[in-house]
Amino acid sequence: AMTESRTVEVARDHPSFAGHFPGDPLWPGVLLLAEALEAIAASPGLAAAVGDAPRLAVAKFLSPVRPGTRLCIEVEAAAAGIDFRIVDADDPARLCAEGRFARATVSRP
């Protein structure tokens, strides 16, 4: 199966932390999804598998991501789309998020 992984560091001063949440900064789930999509887009084969309008089929947010966390994003071709796993790069047993993007089913006139 086609698999890609990349490591990203969550900036300690990312603007999203200011409002999410004051005194208890938490990386928003939508930004985790964006990182997974970036990893998919970086691989032409995986990007082609979901097309240019991928649909989020499943997402589970399992562990909070704090400022300065290094994340390892793993994406893998699966029968129903592209599976993703996001783990703490410094503690790989800590799964932060997982899910699947599927090819968008768009009916054209």
Side-chain angles (χ1 to χ4, degrees):
M2 244 186 310
T3 306
E4 296 283 335
S5 73
R6 65 194 274 162
T7 302
V8 298
E9 185 162 339
V10 175
R12 292 184 178 278
D13 59 352
H14 191 279
S16 69
F17 287 126
H20 198 268
F21 298 92
D24 187 22
L26 182 63
W27 189 243
V30 68
L31 295 179
L32 289 170
L33 297 176
E35 290 293 347
L37 281 172
E38 288 287 324
I40 292 169
S43 165
L46 294 176
V50 291
D52 53 9
R55 178 176 59 82
L56 181 62
V58 181
K60 294 180 185 165
F61 302 100
L62 301 159
S63 186
V65 175
R66 304 292 181 188
T69 303
R70 286 185 339 114
L71 298 172
C72 179
I73 297 134
E74 303 162 0
V75 291
E76 181 176 13
I82 305 294
D83 289 345
F84 67 88
R85 288 173 41 88
I86 302 175
V87 300
D88 184 330
D90 299 312
D91 180 8
R94 191 169 80 88
L95 180 61
C96 299
E98 65 181 355
R100 171 176 294 149
F101 284 98
R103 177 175 282 284
T105 49
V106 179
S107 55
R108 307 226 179 262

